[in-house]
DNA sequence: GTGGTCTAGACCACT
DNA sequence: GTGGTCTAGACCACC
């Protein structure tokens, strides 16, 4: 997991995002066990309370379930829930595009610019 | 000006953004006078310290200049500086697109989705 | 037995409740033998310690008796003890009704609502 | 506010419940300011983190809104949200009634018993 | 061993 | 002053 303690986005949100990524990529499986609070705490060098906070949030979103004394599991609906969350990110991106338009940059120019950046990156990889 | 005191983005940043918008749209002209801290504070119902913070930031960025005892003016370079700032927003948008890709949504799908949203909105307007 | 390991009520309490239900329904008879810790543990897929805890509690309440080396039996007073426990549940229900009243819902409305729910359920069955 | 540190229900939930009660009773008004984290912390003799936790939960439920550096406000929808929550409590009561029925006490007997308790209490008051 | 709650005390950004 | 995050360390109940 990639955490940045100096980032403006809080650690517990970074953890949420990283765990979601692991579920999306199949490292953590739906119905499977999640790392325990204490384990993850040691592994990431982060206080257990912070892990707890991230886990509580994941549970609130229905992505994980906890069982007293037994541990914590990835919910069966986790995958679709996370995919839904990601879809919402498109809305947020669109909002930012609109703000740019308001600043006088045309929609098509923005799309063009994004494609250009993408091509550059693909070339670098190749 | 549209301010939302409950928004997660701080009020002083909202003010900066709104003032930049007024400069871009010509409501505030380069070389022209900016509203005084006290006036703007009353007009927006915002603490003077908050206005002050926004103005200080605008000054730091070279968008405004204060002249001792004469008030504060929009700098001559303001327009191009703001346009430059907006260009940087494309990078931020691109960052978010990359995050979405990491979640398994292809770049082309994202662009497609953005275009779809744009069309819908244009249709609504027409 | 219906156990839910994700439920907020601890498994050992769920087990107690289920065993009491079996005694009430006659599946387990007063004076009859209770399943062994090991058997029940295997049958329910639950840690033996958890079964043990449930049994200890049942014993403490006088519902079961263990005889050295001979196993565990349902006590003769089990039925009446359990019925008494159930009567106490009315007090708990009453407590919750009072809380609802404090929230501005009248006692009569609550009773009415409960009767309505009951009717609906009876209709569904019929 | 009535808090019991030794109660099995966590302090932060007790606080949530008490604040909801104050909103229902009009002590806290929709759109009005809520006590600050530090103030309430001192007033209740509870750690600020615990208050924070309660407030965060209230915010998540849409009952309150926080504004950076300004404080926290009761949302406009708070009243209806809380009333909705209370309605759900009826379902929980009904669930418990069903459990009692399963133990052989008839629905009508339960209602009768509740009414009897209510009468006794009303008499005591009068 | 597990999750959950709580305290004490610190730090940061915003108004 | 406000809210929000984080650490350290403790305690509890449950499996």
């Amino acid at each position: 997991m990639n955490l940045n303690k100096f980032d403006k986005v809080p650690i517990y949100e970074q953890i949420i995002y990283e765990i979601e990524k692991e579920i999306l990529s199949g490292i953590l499986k739906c119905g499977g066990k999640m790392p325990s609070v204490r384990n993850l705490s040691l592994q990431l060098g982060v206080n257990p309370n912070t892990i707890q906070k991230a886990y509580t949030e994941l549970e609130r979103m229905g992505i994980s379930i906890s069982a007293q004394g037994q541990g914590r599991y990835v919910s069966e609906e986790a995958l679709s829930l996370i995919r839904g969350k990601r879809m919402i990110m498109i809305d947020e991106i669109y909002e930012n595009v609109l703000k740019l338009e308001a600043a006088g940059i045309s929609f098509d120019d923005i799309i063009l610019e994004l494609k250009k950046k993408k091509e550059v990156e693909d070339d670098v990889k190749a």
Side-chain angles (χ1 to χ4, degrees), chain A:
Chain A
M1 282 198 199
N2 270 337
L3 295 188
N4 178 1
K5 297 201 182 196
F6 303 109
D7 198 308
K8 65 184 183 315
V9 14
I11 296 178
Y12 78 94
E13 282 191 15
Q14 296 182 43
I15 295 173
I16 290 174
Y17 186 76
E18 292 295 319
I19 288 180
E20 287 177 348
K21 244 172 47 182
E22 295 200 346
I23 295 174
L24 282 173
S25 70
I27 297 178
L28 288 174
K29 295 190 198 319
C30 285
K33 237 181 172 172
M34 297 179 67
S36 83
V37 171
R38 288 163 175 80
N39 259 359
L40 195 53
S41 155
L42 289 172
Q43 183 191 324
L44 299 179
V46 163
N47 189 289
N49 285 322
T50 305
I51 307 286
Q52 183 79 277
K53 190 167 184 175
Y55 273 7
T56 303
E57 188 70 6
L58 283 167
E59 193 149 2
R60 194 187 65 65
M61 296 186 290
I63 291 173
S64 74
I65 316 174
S66 71
Q68 267 289 18
Q70 298 179 243
R72 201 177 246 103
Y73 299 81
V74 180
S75 80
E76 299 297 341
E77 319 85 54
L79 260 179
S80 66
L81 283 168
I82 298 172
R83 291 217 180 95
K85 271 186 74 176
R86 293 298 190 264
M87 275 311 181
I88 291 173
M89 282 179 65
I90 292 193
D91 291 330
E92 291 166 9
I93 290 177
Y94 185 63
E95 285 301 311
N96 287 326
V97 169
L98 288 189
K99 281 190 182 175
L100 259 181
E101 258 197 303
I105 308 176
S106 84
F107 180 82
D108 292 335
D109 282 354
I110 299 170
I111 296 296
L112 224 68
E113 199 68 33
L114 288 176
K115 283 185 179 169
K116 216 185 294 174
K117 282 179 193 292
K118 173 69 176 168
E119 267 176 40
V120 170
E121 192 171 292
D122 284 351
D123 283 358
V124 170
K125 278 185 190 163

